[in-house]
Amino acid sequence: SQTIHQWPATLVQPVGSPLSLECTVEGTSNPNLYWYRQAAGRGLQLLFYSVGIGQISSEVPQNLSASRPQDRQFILSSKKLLLSDSGFYLCAWVDSGANVLTFGAGSRLTVL
Amino acid sequence: GQNIDQPTEMTATEGAIVQINCTYQTSGFNGLFWYQQHAGEAPTFLSYNVLDGLEEKGRFSSFLSRSKGYSYLLLKELQMKDSASYLCAVRSGTYKYIFGTGTRLKVLA
């Protein structure tokens, strides 16, 4: 069966520190992968998506970056966090050619 | 540009029927999706429409009119566990899924 893992689940980071969130998908090949952010009480903002290894499309210019070093691995990074980076980060995937986007459990980031 | 509008909040009574509307403006429309999100959790998929008309799935139904840029989610026989946010999302082109800000539904006993 297909599953998506996302970690860490919760983290508290100081302003100016780096960030790395990781997402892996099991049970599928060549999925399309996504990173979304949800600020408190807000909707989902599409940050990045990837249709293959090394292929990253950025939707919102900011101090975040994404990488896809392996087919089923998607990483969200920052060199220096800002207070405004706080939020609920969600990784999602969809099989290439399929329709339904499926989300991981999310990573809740608080920047102090 | 891309724009998706939903009401911010709705309240309904247990056992009633509620309709949550969504209007959208997007290029390359390629399907409309509804997700349910309980507080502190990830969204879960409810329904998908790509052609005009009504899709029914148990207590949940979703309607789409592409010419009007309009969809609704209909929830019947409301239960307390249906208290959640309901997110309307549009796929633009092949890869991009754009979400509205969501409608927070409160079900009262």
Side-chain angles (χ1 to χ4, degrees):
Chain A
S1 65
Q2 299 156 328
T3 56
I4 180 170
H5 302 280
Q6 190 179 338
W7 70 93
T10 307
L11 66 166
V12 180
Q13 295 285 105
V15 169
S17 64
L19 171 73
S20 181
L21 301 178
E22 190 162 341
C23 171
T24 59
V25 183
E26 296 178 359
T28 185
S29 295
N30 196 30
N32 297 331
L33 297 172
Y34 300 78
W35 279 111
Y36 285 85
R37 176 171 63 199
Q38 188 174 37
R42 306 288 296 277
L44 273 66
Q45 179 186 31
L46 177 59
L47 301 176
F48 302 94
Y49 67 92
S50 171
V51 301
I53 296 174
Q55 299 179 60
I56 308 296
S57 295
S58 174
E59 289 299 300
V60 184
Q62 53 201 320
N63 71 322
L64 299 172
S65 62
S67 62
R68 185 170 177 175
Q70 300 179 43
D71 180 45
R72 289 170 288 174
Q73 184 184 28
F74 205 23
I75 298 172
L76 182 70
S77 303
S78 173
K79 292 182 179 177
K80 288 186 178 183
L81 285 169
L82 305 173
L83 285 174
S84 58
D85 291 324
S86 293
F88 191 38
Y89 288 81
L90 290 154
C91 181
W93 72 279
V94 59
D95 267 331
S96 181
N99 298 313
V100 177
L101 197 62
T102 302
F103 288 89
S107 299
R108 191 164 303 280
L109 169 66
T110 302
V111 182
L112 300 176
Chain B
Q2 322 267 17
N3 194 44
I4 300 175
D5 288 316
Q6 310 177 228
T8 304
E9 278 193 10
M10 299 183 71
T11 302
T13 305
E14 195 174 16
I17 299 173
V18 70
Q19 178 176 312
I20 302 174
N21 295 325
C22 171
T23 57
Y24 64 88
Q25 291 177 305
T26 185
S27 58
F29 176 83
N30 189 18
L32 188 136
F33 303 79
W34 285 95
Y35 284 79
Q36 180 189 61
Q37 185 179 25
H38 284 101
E41 299 181 6
T44 55
F45 169 74
L46 288 178
S47 69
Y48 165 62
N49 297 69
V50 67
L51 299 177
D52 291 351
L54 189 68
E55 293 284 340
E56 297 186 81
K57 193 187 293 186
R59 294 189 300 113
F60 294 76
S61 303
S62 58
F63 172 83
L64 174 67
S65 169
R66 290 172 296 170
S67 62
K68 295 182 179 179
Y70 168 70
S71 172
Y72 67 73
L73 179 70
L74 193 71
L75 292 77
K76 303 175 186 175
E77 302 169 15
L78 279 174
Q79 302 174 9
M80 297 299 290
K81 67 178 181 180
D82 297 328
S83 291
S85 287
Y86 291 86
L87 311 179
C88 174
V90 171
R91 183 167 55 184
S92 173
T94 305
Y95 305 117
K96 290 174 61 172
Y97 294 75
I98 309 300
F99 283 78
T101 53
T103 299
R104 191 160 56 248
L105 174 65
K106 297 180 184 178
V107 180
L108 305 176

